Amino acid sequence: MEEVELKRILWRSRRGLLELDLQLERFVAEVLPTLSEAELALYGDVLLLPDQDFLAYVNGAVACPNARLVPMIERIRAAQR
């Protein structure tokens, strides 16, 4: 992935909700650099979710209805442990 696109993903990882920013902080620092291009593309799709929905999925309060996004949401959740 090009450096410009990676920077765009990093920028989009900064969200409007502090709670979500805190959830993503460790994932972005520790896991994001290890992702394959396909995984980065999937993470980019996850970043398109509205903040409230994204937070609910990461917290496990609501199941994500898009089965394709679930593995990445679970990786984000696992980074919090």
Side-chain angles (χ1 to χ4, degrees), residues 51-71:
D51 285 349
Q52 294 293 342
D53 294 341
F54 192 3
L55 182 61
Y57 302 153
V58 170
N59 285 338
V62 177
C64 179
N66 186 335
R68 191 175 67 80
L69 302 180
V70 170

Side-chain angles (χ1 to χ4, degrees), residues 17-42:
L17 293 175
L18 176 61
E19 297 88 351
L20 191 50
D21 281 341
L22 294 174
Q23 293 280 348
L24 291 175
E25 190 174 280
R26 180 178 286 169
F27 177 83
V28 168
E30 297 176 6
V31 180
L32 190 71
T34 69
L35 296 180
S36 69
E37 285 203 31
E39 291 169 324
L40 282 170
L42 183 59

